[in-house]
Amino acid sequence: MEWLTDPFEVGFVARALWGGLLVSVICGLAGTWVVLRGMAFMSDAMAHGMLPGVAIASLLGGSLLLGAALSAVAMTLGVTALSRTSRLSQDTGIGLLFVGMLSTGVIIVSHSQSFAVDLTGFLFGDVLAVREIDLLFLAGALALALVLTVAFHRSFVALSFDRRKAATLGLRPGLAHGLMVSLLTLAIVASFHVVGTLLVFGLLIAPPAAMALWANRIPAIMIGAAVIGGIATVGGLLISWHLGTAAGATIAAFAVACFFVSVLATLVRDRLPFTATPLKGH
């Protein structure tokens, strides 16, 4: 059993474990709404749209997290403005801003002598470099994500399934959408420095999607997604330790593998008699 426990007795691996577990819960909360509302493309665009802010903060010696947050907010405001003032679809606006901000970020970073290192860190993160201060930040982000999820659960549910009904019930779908995007932004900004922007989708999308195939209640999907993300974190770190693979990428790949295992399991389940029940918000 030493091969299961020995890696986590090392300080930086233990911190990586706790960081990954915290990110798994945060992404489980936000990722559930991403899966239910079909916001994966917007999530991808927001993650990559953070690069200009991160690049500027890096060159100026400022906070990368603050730069990422400001850039993500700018991306969100841009998408909202284009969707309201243009004949173009929201997906088109997201795509244009995605390419524009990513290109701008690469141009800015290319002026740095450490271009390759900076860009690699942004894209892939370094889960094994998690510090105690990072764990405190993730714990604070998780607390805020829980507050948003619990306080606006009813509004999020109504928005996800029937925007017009949400308006009829006085739940202010516009505000609910903004708060949901804020929750998504929080998850991406809190997670990118741990697993990177390209790999954050591994924990943001795969665990909720895997759990949504089995659960018919939103809280159950969130809890199950957090558990699957935690399993992916433990499994990914063990594989990374013993096989010498990149830790963040291995965790993300493990999470995606969990999704495909879930899909295969549903194929077996669907051959058995059962009664389907609609997804519920409680």
Side-chain angles (χ1 to χ4, degrees):
M1 294 295 292
E2 289 81 5
W3 69 277
L4 280 174
T5 59
D6 285 352
F8 301 112
E9 294 178 358
V10 180
F12 66 87
V13 181
R15 288 191 296 273
L17 173 63
W18 282 109
L21 292 176
L22 289 169
V23 167
S24 296
V25 180
I26 297 171
C27 288
L29 295 174
T32 296
W33 302 114
V34 171
V35 170
L36 294 180
R37 291 206 67 204
M39 297 168 62
F41 182 42
M42 183 174 184
S43 304
D44 189 22
M46 287 177 61
H48 290 84
M50 294 189 304
L51 182 54
V54 172
I56 293 173
S58 178
L59 292 177
L60 297 179
S63 169
L64 299 185
L65 290 175
L66 179 59
L70 292 175
S71 195
V73 169
M75 179 75 182
T76 303
L77 293 176
V79 170
T80 302
L82 282 179
S83 64
R84 291 181 177 179
T85 62
S86 175
R87 293 183 179 180
L88 300 176
S89 67
Q90 186 180 53
D91 281 351
T92 302
I94 292 173
L96 291 171
L97 287 171
F98 173 23
V99 175
M101 294 194 72
L102 183 60
S103 300
T104 301
V106 172
I107 291 171
I108 295 173
V109 175
S110 66
H111 286 283
S112 170
Q113 294 180 351
S114 57
F115 167 77
V117 175
D118 291 341
L119 188 57
T120 300
F122 173 78
L123 294 176
F124 302 107
D126 189 358
V127 68
L128 296 179
V130 172
R131 303 165 298 170
E132 292 183 0
I133 188 66
D134 296 323
L135 295 179
L136 291 175
F137 172 80
L138 288 172
L142 173 56
L144 181 56
L146 283 170
V147 169
L148 288 173
T149 299
V150 173
F152 299 98
H153 178 78
R154 186 164 177 259
S155 298
F156 288 170
V157 171
L159 175 66
S160 298
F161 294 101
D162 193 333
R163 186 184 181 97
R164 287 177 296 181
K165 185 175 181 180
T168 302
L169 294 173
L171 295 176
R172 303 180 66 182
L175 176 61
H177 176 74
L179 291 170
M180 188 180 290
V181 172
S182 298
L183 177 62
L184 173 60
T185 302
L186 174 66
I188 293 174
V189 171
S191 305
F192 92 93
H193 69 298
V194 177
V195 294
T197 57
L198 284 180
L199 303 177
V200 69
F201 273 178
L203 293 176
L204 188 65
I205 304 296
M211 194 62 198
L213 297 174
W214 297 91
N216 62 355
R217 294 180 181 272
I218 291 175
I221 295 176
M222 291 179 174
I223 294 172
V227 171
I228 293 173
I231 293 172
T233 297
V234 174
L237 287 174
L238 285 173
I239 294 173
S240 172
W241 176 269
H242 292 293
L243 298 183
T245 58
T250 307
I251 292 172
F254 200 111
V256 174
C258 287
F259 167 74
F260 285 109
V261 169
S262 180
V263 170
L264 291 175
T266 60
L267 296 178
V268 176
R269 179 198 64 185
D270 291 343
R271 292 179 178 272
L272 302 175
F274 75 102
T275 302
T277 55
L279 187 66
K280 300 178 182 178
H282 53 80

